[in-house]
């Protein structure tokens, strides 16, 4: 490669939709897309919303670069911006890629386009890495778009947006399906928590939990109640991550309110059942709102075991702890739970047990 850069070019994108579970969900599809176009993927900064602050978290703070590099060619955002960008992507070549032109949200007089830097997190994301765009390119006419498994798709990408003219493809949002398709879920095995996060998880477990332990994800903040209002009992349509427990197109059953927002009794009953089934010695609870520690401990009294939480629930450590549990109980609709489920299914010799609220196991 000329001056140490990839002659096939690069893909850089903003994981601009949703929070961490959504961002990871789409990231799996982006990995598959980059591999299929045989370009180096610039590992994103993940976006954390601590209102009013928007924080950029470099991929390598959360995950091991070496492991994801076993799946496809990657480079960290840091290395790309410091060493590569100026060589392969002069400012006058910086086009934004999106599906098709759309109207701006704020500037109502603006021409339709990608508006790649309009609003939060779009603007802050590219500003953070010092990128501005001189124009837009649309890929909606390519058969399948980012679904390059479709006939003729890869050829079209090369014809229209080949590396001679476009060494860098910069996407204003993740070039991947949401929710993710089943065929990319196993790519999760290339996402290994960074040693810092793994150490924090191990330390927490050693200091607080007796093994074997059950881990529980409770998704119960106010925003979630509104999500569950969208359950379509008639058409039984997939909702966010729901295919993780009901299969693609929900061929395995009906999405219910209990799966999305189980009530307190259903939660406690499920935990007690699973504790009994594996003879658990402790329970770990992660939540975005109400960990229900008192209610759970009341129900666990006869078993003489206790439920624990992180006093400040750091979401990344919580995910890693849940990944390491002996049995996981998740929320079927939550993409946050799905991270744990995929990790347990695919990072190991064989799948480790996961269960979902509202889903009766055989
Ligand atoms: O990750 P996420 O897209 O998953 O959004 P869902 C949920 C966010 O809530 C996480 C926080 O990124 C965390 O910031 N959160 C959830 C938690 N559970 C926990 C937890 O156990 N511990 C901690 N510390 N934080 C949906 C989206 O969220 O939310 C939809 O799929 C939609 O896009 C909806 O926006 C409102 O899939 O659960």
């Amino acid at each position: 490669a000329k001056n140490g850069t990839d002659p096939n070019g690069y893909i850089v994108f903003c994981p601009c939709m949703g929070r961490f579970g959504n961002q990871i969900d789409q990231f799996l599809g982006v990995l598959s897309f980059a591999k299929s176009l045989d370009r180096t993927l610039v590992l994103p900064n993940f976006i954390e919303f601590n209102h009013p602050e928007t924080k950029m978290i470099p991929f390598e703070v959360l995950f091991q670069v070496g492991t994801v590099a076993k799946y496809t060619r990657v480079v960290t955002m840091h290395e790309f911006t410091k060493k590569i960008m100026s060589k392969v992507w002069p400012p006058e070549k910086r086009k934004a890629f999106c599906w098709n032109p759309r109207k701006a949200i704020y500037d109502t007089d603006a021409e339709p386009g990608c508006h790649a830097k309009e609003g939060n997190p779009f603007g802050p994301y590219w500003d953070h890495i010092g990128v501005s765009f001189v124009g837009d390119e649309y890929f909606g006419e390519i058969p399948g778009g980012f679904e390059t498994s479709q006939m003729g798709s890869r050829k079209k990408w090369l014809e229209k947006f080949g590396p001679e003219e476009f060494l860098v493809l910069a996407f204003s949002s993740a070039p991947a399906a949401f929710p993710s398709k089943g065929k990319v879920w196993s790519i999760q095995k290339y996402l290994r928590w960074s040693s810092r996060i793994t150490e924090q998880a191990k330390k927490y477990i050693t200091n607080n939990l007796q093994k074997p332990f059950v881990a529980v994800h409770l998704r119960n903040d106010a925003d979630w109640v509104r999500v569950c209002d969208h359950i379509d009992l008639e058409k039984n349509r997939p909702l966010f991550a729901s295919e993780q427990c009901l299969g693609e197109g929900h061929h395995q059953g009906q999405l219910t309110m209990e799966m999305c927002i189980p009530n307190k009794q259903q939660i406690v009953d499920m935990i007690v059942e699973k504790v009994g089934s594996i003879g658990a010695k402790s329970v770990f609870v992660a939540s975005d709102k109400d960990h229900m520690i008192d209610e759970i401990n009341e129900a666990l009294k006869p078993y003489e075991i206790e439920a624990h939480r992180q006093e400040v629930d750091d979401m990344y450590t919580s995910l890693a702890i849940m990944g390491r549990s002996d049995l996981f109980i998740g929320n079927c609709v939550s993409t946050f739970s799905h991270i744990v489920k995929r990790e347990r299914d695919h990072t190991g010799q064989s799948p480790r047990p996961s269960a979902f609220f509202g889903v009766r196991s055989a």
Side-chain angles (χ1 to χ4, degrees), residues 141-212:
E141 276 164 30
I142 293 182
F146 42 68
E147 287 297 339
T148 51
S149 53
Q150 191 149 322
M151 269 271 280
S153 172
R154 290 200 351 235
K155 196 164 148 258
K156 252 285 153 10
W157 274 101
L158 267 179
E159 274 169 27
K160 262 193 108 164
F161 304 119
E164 306 73 34
E165 175 65 11
F166 298 97
L167 257 185
V168 177
L169 306 181
F171 293 89
S172 56
S173 60
F178 181 81
S180 57
K181 299 271 198 312
K183 65 182 176 198
V184 302
W185 294 349
S186 66
I187 300 174
Q188 184 80 38
K189 67 167 161 283
Y190 299 97
L191 290 186
R192 294 289 176 106
W193 295 110
S194 64
S195 51
R196 200 183 58 119
I197 293 192
T198 300
E199 284 319 310
Q200 279 167 2
K202 281 184 169 171
K203 197 168 142 203
Y204 181 89
I205 294 170
T206 307
N207 291 342
N208 299 281
L209 300 173
Q210 277 197 289
K211 293 184 197 176

Coordinates of all heavy atoms in Angstrom, one line a residue, residues 141-212:
E141 N -29.9 4.3 -4.8 CA -30.2 3.6 -6.0 C -29.4 2.3 -6.2 O -29.8 1.5 -7.1 CB -30.0 4.5 -7.2 CG -31.1 5.5 -7.5 CD -30.8 6.6 -8.3 OE1 -29.9 6.5 -9.2 OE2 -31.4 7.7 -8.2
I142 N -28.4 2.1 -5.4 CA -27.7 0.8 -5.5 C -28.6 -0.3 -5.0 O -29.2 -0.2 -4.0 CB -26.4 0.9 -4.7 CG1 -25.5 1.9 -5.4 CG2 -25.7 -0.5 -4.6 CD1 -24.1 2.1 -4.7
P143 N -28.7 -1.4 -5.8 CA -29.6 -2.5 -5.4 C -29.2 -3.0 -4.0 O -28.1 -3.3 -3.7 CB -29.3 -3.6 -6.4 CG -28.4 -3.0 -7.5 CD -28.0 -1.7 -7.1
G144 N -30.2 -2.9 -3.1 CA -30.0 -3.4 -1.7 C -29.3 -2.3 -0.8 O -29.3 -2.5 0.4
G145 N -28.8 -1.2 -1.4 CA -28.1 -0.2 -0.6 C -26.9 -0.9 0.1 O -26.1 -1.4 -0.5
F146 N -27.0 -0.8 1.4 CA -25.9 -1.4 2.2 C -26.0 -2.9 2.4 O -25.1 -3.5 2.9 CB -25.7 -0.7 3.6 CG -27.0 -0.4 4.3 CD1 -27.8 -1.4 4.7 CD2 -27.4 0.9 4.4 CE1 -29.0 -1.2 5.4 CE2 -28.6 1.2 5.1 CZ -29.4 0.1 5.5
E147 N -27.1 -3.5 1.9 CA -27.3 -4.9 1.9 C -26.5 -5.5 0.7 O -27.2 -5.8 -0.3 CB -28.7 -5.3 1.9 CG -29.5 -5.1 3.2 CD -29.0 -5.9 4.4 OE1 -28.3 -6.9 4.2 OE2 -29.3 -5.5 5.5
T148 N -25.2 -5.6 0.8 CA -24.4 -6.0 -0.4 C -24.6 -7.4 -0.8 O -23.9 -7.8 -1.8 CB -23.0 -5.6 -0.1 OG1 -22.6 -6.2 1.1 CG2 -22.7 -4.1 -0.1
S149 N -25.3 -8.2 0.0 CA -25.5 -9.6 -0.4 C -26.5 -9.7 -1.6 O -26.6 -10.7 -2.3 CB -26.1 -10.4 0.7 OG -27.3 -9.8 1.2
Q150 N -27.2 -8.6 -1.9 CA -28.1 -8.5 -3.0 C -27.3 -8.6 -4.3 O -26.3 -7.9 -4.5 CB -29.0 -7.3 -2.9 CG -30.1 -7.3 -3.9 CD -31.3 -6.5 -3.3 OE1 -31.6 -6.6 -2.1 NE2 -32.0 -5.8 -4.2
M151 N -27.9 -9.3 -5.3 CA -27.3 -9.4 -6.6 C -26.9 -8.1 -7.2 O -27.7 -7.1 -7.3 CB -28.3 -10.0 -7.6 CG -28.2 -11.5 -7.7 SD -27.1 -12.0 -8.9 CE -28.1 -11.8 -10.4
G152 N -25.6 -8.0 -7.7 CA -25.2 -6.8 -8.4 C -24.8 -5.6 -7.5 O -24.4 -4.6 -8.0
S153 N -25.0 -5.8 -6.2 CA -24.8 -4.6 -5.3 C -23.3 -4.2 -5.2 O -23.0 -3.1 -5.4 CB -25.4 -5.0 -3.9 OG -25.0 -4.0 -3.0
R154 N -22.5 -5.2 -5.0 CA -21.1 -4.9 -4.8 C -20.5 -4.3 -6.1 O -19.7 -3.4 -6.0 CB -20.3 -6.1 -4.4 CG -20.6 -6.5 -3.0 CD -19.7 -7.3 -2.2 NE -18.6 -7.9 -2.9 CZ -18.4 -9.2 -2.9 NH1 -19.1 -10.1 -2.3 NH2 -17.3 -9.7 -3.6
K155 N -20.9 -4.8 -7.2 CA -20.4 -4.3 -8.5 C -20.8 -2.9 -8.6 O -20.0 -2.0 -9.1 CB -21.0 -5.2 -9.6 CG -20.3 -5.0 -10.9 CD -20.7 -6.2 -11.9 CE -20.7 -5.7 -13.3 NZ -22.1 -5.4 -13.8
K156 N -22.0 -2.6 -8.3 CA -22.5 -1.2 -8.4 C -21.8 -0.2 -7.4 O -21.5 0.9 -7.8 CB -24.0 -1.2 -8.0 CG -25.0 -0.9 -9.2 CD -25.0 0.4 -9.7 CE -25.3 1.0 -11.0 NZ -25.8 0.2 -12.1
W157 N -21.5 -0.7 -6.2 CA -20.7 0.1 -5.3 C -19.3 0.5 -6.0 O -18.9 1.6 -5.9 CB -20.5 -0.6 -4.0 CG -21.6 -0.4 -3.0 CD1 -22.6 -1.3 -2.7 CD2 -21.8 0.8 -2.2 NE1 -23.5 -0.7 -1.8 CE2 -23.0 0.5 -1.4 CE3 -21.2 2.0 -2.0 CZ2 -23.5 1.5 -0.5 CZ3 -21.7 2.9 -1.1 CH2 -22.9 2.7 -0.4
L158 N -18.7 -0.5 -6.6 CA -17.4 -0.3 -7.2 C -17.5 0.7 -8.4 O -16.7 1.6 -8.6 CB -16.8 -1.6 -7.7 CG -15.9 -2.3 -6.7 CD1 -15.4 -3.7 -7.3 CD2 -14.7 -1.4 -6.3
E159 N -18.5 0.5 -9.2 CA -18.7 1.3 -10.4 C -19.0 2.8 -10.0 O -18.4 3.7 -10.5 CB -19.9 0.8 -11.2 CG -19.6 -0.3 -12.2 CD -20.9 -0.9 -12.8 OE1 -21.9 -0.2 -12.8 OE2 -20.8 -2.1 -13.1
K160 N -19.9 2.9 -9.1 CA -20.4 4.3 -8.7 C -19.4 5.0 -7.8 O -19.1 6.2 -7.9 CB -21.8 4.2 -8.1 CG -22.9 4.6 -9.0 CD -24.2 4.8 -8.3 CE -24.5 6.3 -8.4 NZ -25.9 6.6 -8.0
F161 N -18.9 4.2 -6.8 CA -18.1 4.8 -5.7 C -16.8 4.0 -5.5 O -16.5 3.7 -4.3 CB -19.0 4.8 -4.4 CG -20.3 5.5 -4.5 CD1 -21.5 4.9 -4.3 CD2 -20.3 6.9 -4.9 CE1 -22.7 5.5 -4.4 CE2 -21.6 7.5 -5.0 CZ -22.8 6.9 -4.7
G162 N -16.1 3.8 -6.5 CA -14.9 3.0 -6.4 C -13.8 3.8 -5.8 O -13.9 5.1 -5.7
P163 N -12.7 3.2 -5.3 CA -11.7 3.8 -4.5 C -10.8 4.8 -5.3 O -10.2 5.7 -4.7 CB -10.8 2.7 -4.0 CG -11.2 1.5 -4.8 CD -12.6 1.7 -5.3
E164 N -10.9 4.8 -6.7 CA -10.1 5.7 -7.5 C -10.6 7.1 -7.2 O -9.9 8.1 -7.0 CB -10.2 5.5 -9.0 CG -9.8 4.1 -9.4 CD -10.8 3.0 -9.0 OE1 -12.0 3.4 -9.1 OE2 -10.4 1.9 -8.7
E165 N -11.9 7.2 -7.2 CA -12.6 8.5 -7.0 C -12.9 8.8 -5.5 O -12.8 9.9 -5.0 CB -13.8 8.6 -7.9 CG -14.7 9.8 -7.8 CD -14.0 11.1 -8.2 OE1 -12.9 11.0 -8.8 OE2 -14.5 12.2 -7.9
F166 N -13.3 7.7 -4.9 CA -13.8 7.8 -3.5 C -12.9 6.9 -2.6 O -13.4 5.8 -2.2 CB -15.2 7.4 -3.4 CG -16.2 8.3 -4.2 CD1 -16.6 7.9 -5.4 CD2 -16.6 9.5 -3.6 CE1 -17.5 8.7 -6.2 CE2 -17.5 10.3 -4.4 CZ -17.9 9.9 -5.6
L167 N -11.8 7.4 -2.1 CA -11.0 6.6 -1.2 C -11.6 6.5 0.2 O -11.5 5.5 0.8 CB -9.6 7.2 -1.0 CG -8.4 6.6 -1.8 CD1 -7.1 7.3 -1.4 CD2 -8.4 5.1 -1.6
V168 N -12.4 7.5 0.5 CA -13.1 7.4 1.8 C -14.6 7.5 1.6 O -15.1 8.5 0.9 CB -12.6 8.5 2.8 CG1 -13.4 8.5 4.1 CG2 -11.1 8.4 3.0
L169 N -15.4 6.6 2.1 CA -16.8 6.7 2.1 C -17.2 7.1 3.5 O -17.0 6.3 4.5 CB -17.5 5.4 1.7 CG -17.1 4.7 0.4 CD1 -17.9 3.4 0.2 CD2 -17.3 5.6 -0.8
A170 N -17.8 8.3 3.6 CA -18.2 8.8 5.0 C -19.7 8.8 5.1 O -20.4 9.6 4.4 CB -17.6 10.2 5.2
F171 N -20.2 8.0 6.0 CA -21.7 7.8 6.1 C -22.2 8.7 7.3 O -21.7 8.6 8.4 CB -22.0 6.4 6.3 CG -21.8 5.5 5.1 CD1 -20.5 4.9 4.9 CD2 -22.7 5.4 4.1 CE1 -20.2 4.2 3.8 CE2 -22.5 4.6 2.9 CZ -21.2 4.0 2.8
S172 N -23.3 9.4 7.0 CA -23.8 10.3 8.0 C -24.6 9.5 9.0 O -24.9 10.1 10.1 CB -24.7 11.4 7.4 OG -25.7 10.8 6.6
S173 N -25.0 8.3 8.7 CA -25.5 7.4 9.8 C -25.0 6.0 9.4 O -24.5 5.8 8.3 CB -27.0 7.5 9.9 OG -27.6 7.1 8.7
A174 N -25.2 5.1 10.3 CA -24.6 3.7 10.1 C -25.2 3.1 8.9 O -26.4 3.0 8.7 CB -24.9 2.8 11.3
P175 N -24.3 2.6 7.9 CA -24.8 1.9 6.8 C -25.1 0.5 7.1 O -24.4 -0.5 6.8 CB -23.6 2.0 5.8 CG -22.4 2.1 6.6 CD -22.8 2.8 7.9
A176 N -26.2 0.3 7.8 CA -26.6 -1.1 8.3 C -28.1 -1.0 8.7 O -28.6 0.0 9.1 CB -25.7 -1.5 9.5
A177 N -28.7 -2.2 8.6 CA -30.1 -2.3 9.0 C -30.3 -2.1 10.5 O -29.4 -2.4 11.3 CB -30.6 -3.7 8.6
F178 N -31.4 -1.6 10.8 CA -31.9 -1.6 12.2 C -33.4 -1.9 12.3 O -34.1 -1.3 11.5 CB -31.7 -0.2 12.9 CG -32.1 -0.2 14.3 CD1 -31.3 -0.7 15.3 CD2 -33.4 0.2 14.7 CE1 -31.7 -0.8 16.6 CE2 -33.8 0.1 16.0 CZ -32.9 -0.3 17.0
P179 N -33.8 -2.9 13.1 CA -32.9 -3.7 14.0 C -32.0 -4.6 13.1 O -32.4 -4.9 11.9 CB -33.8 -4.4 14.9 CG -35.2 -4.3 14.3 CD -35.2 -3.1 13.4
S180 N -31.0 -5.1 13.7 CA -30.0 -6.0 12.9 C -30.7 -7.3 12.5 O -31.6 -7.8 13.1 CB -28.8 -6.3 13.8 OG -29.3 -6.9 15.0
K181 N -30.2 -7.8 11.4 CA -30.7 -9.1 10.9 C -29.9 -10.2 11.6 O -28.8 -10.1 11.9 CB -30.4 -9.2 9.4 CG -31.1 -8.1 8.5 CD -32.5 -8.5 8.1 CE -33.1 -7.8 7.0 NZ -33.0 -6.3 7.0
G182 N -30.6 -11.3 11.7 CA -30.1 -12.5 12.4 C -28.7 -12.9 11.9 O -27.9 -13.4 12.6
K183 N -28.5 -12.7 10.6 CA -27.2 -13.2 10.0 C -26.0 -12.5 10.5 O -24.9 -13.0 10.4 CB -27.3 -13.2 8.5 CG -27.4 -11.8 8.0 CD -27.5 -11.7 6.4 CE -27.6 -10.3 6.0 NZ -28.2 -10.1 4.7
V184 N -26.1 -11.3 11.1 CA -24.9 -10.6 11.7 C -24.7 -10.8 13.2 O -23.7 -10.4 13.7 CB -24.9 -9.1 11.3 CG1 -25.0 -8.9 9.8 CG2 -26.0 -8.4 12.1
W185 N -25.7 -11.5 13.8 CA -25.6 -11.5 15.3 C -24.3 -12.2 15.8 O -23.7 -11.9 16.8 CB -26.8 -12.2 15.9 CG -28.1 -11.5 15.7 CD1 -28.2 -10.1 15.2 CD2 -29.4 -11.9 15.9 NE1 -29.5 -9.8 15.2 CE2 -30.3 -10.8 15.5 CE3 -30.0 -13.1 16.3 CZ2 -31.7 -10.9 15.7 CZ3 -31.3 -13.2 16.4 CH2 -32.2 -12.1 16.1
S186 N -23.8 -13.2 15.0 CA -22.6 -14.0 15.5 C -21.4 -13.1 15.4 O -20.4 -13.5 16.0 CB -22.5 -15.3 14.7 OG -22.2 -15.0 13.3
I187 N -21.4 -12.0 14.6 CA -20.2 -11.2 14.6 C -19.9 -10.6 15.9 O -18.8 -10.2 16.2 CB -20.5 -10.0 13.5 CG1 -20.7 -10.6 12.1 CG2 -19.3 -9.1 13.4 CD1 -21.1 -9.6 11.1
Q188 N -20.9 -10.7 16.8 CA -20.6 -10.2 18.2 C -19.4 -10.9 18.8 O -18.7 -10.3 19.7 CB -21.8 -10.6 19.1 CG -21.7 -10.1 20.5 CD -22.1 -8.6 20.7 OE1 -23.0 -8.1 20.0 NE2 -21.4 -7.9 21.6
K189 N -19.0 -12.1 18.3 CA -17.9 -12.8 19.0 C -16.6 -12.0 18.7 O -15.6 -12.2 19.4 CB -17.8 -14.2 18.5 CG -17.5 -14.5 17.0 CD -17.1 -16.0 16.9 CE -17.2 -16.4 15.4 NZ -18.6 -16.6 15.0
Y190 N -16.6 -11.1 17.8 CA -15.4 -10.3 17.5 C -15.3 -9.0 18.4 O -14.4 -8.3 18.3 CB -15.2 -9.9 16.1 CG -15.1 -11.2 15.2 CD1 -16.2 -11.7 14.5 CD2 -13.9 -11.8 15.1 CE1 -16.1 -12.9 13.8 CE2 -13.8 -13.0 14.3 CZ -14.9 -13.5 13.7 OH -14.8 -14.6 12.9
L191 N -16.4 -8.9 19.2 CA -16.4 -7.7 20.1 C -16.1 -8.2 21.5 O -16.9 -8.8 22.2 CB -17.8 -7.0 20.1 CG -18.1 -6.3 18.8 CD1 -19.5 -5.5 19.0 CD2 -17.0 -5.3 18.5
R192 N -14.9 -8.0 21.9 CA -14.4 -8.4 23.3 C -14.2 -7.1 24.1 O -13.5 -6.2 23.6 CB -13.1 -9.2 23.2 CG -13.3 -10.6 22.6 CD -14.1 -11.5 23.5 NE -14.3 -12.8 22.8 CZ -13.6 -13.9 23.1 NH1 -12.8 -13.9 24.1 NH2 -13.9 -15.0 22.4
W193 N -14.8 -7.1 25.3 CA -14.6 -6.0 26.2 C -13.1 -5.7 26.4 O -12.3 -6.6 26.4 CB -15.3 -6.2 27.5 CG -16.8 -6.3 27.4 CD1 -17.5 -7.4 27.6 CD2 -17.7 -5.2 27.0 NE1 -18.9 -7.1 27.3 CE2 -19.0 -5.8 27.0 CE3 -17.5 -3.9 26.7 CZ2 -20.1 -5.0 26.7 CZ3 -18.7 -3.1 26.4 CH2 -19.9 -3.7 26.4
S194 N -12.8 -4.4 26.4 CA -11.4 -4.0 26.7 C -11.0 -4.6 28.1 O -11.8 -4.9 28.9 CB -11.3 -2.5 26.7 OG -12.1 -1.9 27.8
S195 N -9.7 -4.6 28.3 CA -9.2 -5.2 29.5 C -9.7 -4.4 30.7 O -10.0 -4.9 31.8 CB -7.7 -5.4 29.5 OG -7.1 -4.2 29.1
R196 N -9.8 -3.1 30.5 CA -10.2 -2.2 31.6 C -11.6 -2.6 32.1 O -11.9 -2.8 33.3 CB -10.2 -0.8 31.2 CG -10.1 0.2 32.3 CD -10.2 1.6 31.8 NE -11.4 1.8 31.0 CZ -12.3 2.7 31.3 NH1 -12.2 3.5 32.3 NH2 -13.4 2.8 30.5
I197 N -12.5 -2.8 31.1 CA -13.9 -3.1 31.5 C -14.0 -4.5 32.0 O -14.7 -4.8 33.0 CB -14.8 -2.9 30.2 CG1 -14.8 -1.4 30.0 CG2 -16.2 -3.5 30.5 CD1 -15.8 -0.9 29.0
T198 N -13.3 -5.5 31.4 CA -13.3 -6.8 31.9 C -12.8 -6.9 33.3 O -13.4 -7.5 34.2 CB -12.4 -7.7 31.0 OG1 -12.9 -7.7 29.7 CG2 -12.4 -9.1 31.5
E199 N -11.7 -6.1 33.6 CA -11.2 -6.1 35.0 C -12.2 -5.5 36.0 O -12.3 -6.0 37.1 CB -9.9 -5.3 35.1 CG -8.6 -6.1 34.5 CD -8.6 -7.5 34.9 OE1 -8.8 -7.8 36.1 OE2 -8.5 -8.4 34.0
Q200 N -12.9 -4.5 35.6 CA -13.9 -3.9 36.5 C -15.0 -4.9 36.7 O -15.5 -5.0 37.9 CB -14.5 -2.6 35.8 CG -13.6 -1.4 36.0 CD -14.0 -0.2 35.1 OE1 -15.0 -0.3 34.4 NE2 -13.3 0.8 35.2
A201 N -15.4 -5.6 35.7 CA -16.5 -6.6 35.9 C -16.0 -7.7 36.8 O -16.7 -8.1 37.7 CB -16.9 -7.2 34.5
K202 N -14.8 -8.2 36.6 CA -14.3 -9.3 37.4 C -14.2 -8.9 38.8 O -14.5 -9.6 39.8 CB -12.9 -9.7 36.9 CG -13.0 -10.6 35.7 CD -11.5 -11.0 35.4 CE -11.4 -12.1 34.4 NZ -10.0 -12.3 33.9
K203 N -13.7 -7.7 39.0 CA -13.5 -7.1 40.4 C -14.9 -7.0 41.1 O -15.0 -7.4 42.3 CB -12.8 -5.8 40.3 CG -12.2 -5.3 41.6 CD -11.3 -4.1 41.3 CE -11.5 -3.1 42.5 NZ -11.2 -1.7 42.1
Y204 N -15.9 -6.5 40.4 CA -17.2 -6.4 41.0 C -17.7 -7.8 41.4 O -18.2 -8.0 42.5 CB -18.2 -5.7 40.0 CG -19.5 -5.6 40.7 CD1 -19.8 -4.5 41.4 CD2 -20.5 -6.7 40.6 CE1 -21.1 -4.4 42.1 CE2 -21.7 -6.6 41.2 CZ -22.0 -5.4 42.0 OH -23.2 -5.4 42.6
I205 N -17.6 -8.7 40.5 CA -18.1 -10.1 40.8 C -17.4 -10.7 42.0 O -18.0 -11.2 42.9 CB -17.9 -11.0 39.5 CG1 -18.8 -10.5 38.4 CG2 -18.2 -12.5 39.9 CD1 -18.6 -11.2 37.0
T206 N -16.0 -10.6 42.0 CA -15.3 -11.1 43.1 C -15.7 -10.5 44.5 O -15.8 -11.2 45.5 CB -13.8 -10.9 42.9 OG1 -13.4 -11.4 41.7 CG2 -12.9 -11.5 44.0
N207 N -15.9 -9.2 44.4 CA -16.2 -8.5 45.7 C -17.6 -8.6 46.2 O -17.9 -8.3 47.3 CB -15.8 -7.0 45.6 CG -14.3 -6.8 45.4 OD1 -13.5 -7.7 45.8 ND2 -13.9 -5.6 44.9
N208 N -18.5 -8.8 45.2 CA -19.9 -8.7 45.6 C -20.8 -9.9 45.4 O -21.9 -10.0 46.0 CB -20.6 -7.6 44.8 CG -19.9 -6.2 45.1 OD1 -20.1 -5.6 46.2 ND2 -19.0 -5.8 44.2
L209 N -20.4 -10.8 44.5 CA -21.3 -11.9 44.1 C -20.8 -13.3 44.4 O -19.6 -13.5 44.3 CB -21.6 -11.8 42.6 CG -22.2 -10.5 42.1 CD1 -22.3 -10.5 40.6 CD2 -23.6 -10.3 42.7
Q210 N -21.7 -14.1 44.9 CA -21.4 -15.5 45.1 C -21.8 -16.3 43.9 O -22.9 -16.1 43.4 CB -22.0 -16.0 46.4 CG -21.3 -15.6 47.6 CD -21.8 -16.5 48.8 OE1 -22.9 -16.3 49.3 NE2 -20.9 -17.4 49.2
K211 N -21.0 -17.2 43.5 CA -21.3 -18.0 42.3 C -22.0 -19.3 42.7 O -21.6 -19.8 43.8 CB -20.1 -18.3 41.5 CG -19.5 -17.0 40.9 CD -18.3 -17.3 40.0 CE -17.5 -16.1 39.7 NZ -16.3 -16.3 39.0
P212 N -22.8 -19.9 41.9 CA -23.3 -19.3 40.6 C -24.2 -18.1 40.8 O -24.9 -18.1 41.8 CB -24.0 -20.5 39.9 CG -24.4 -21.4 41.0 CD -23.4 -21.2 42.1

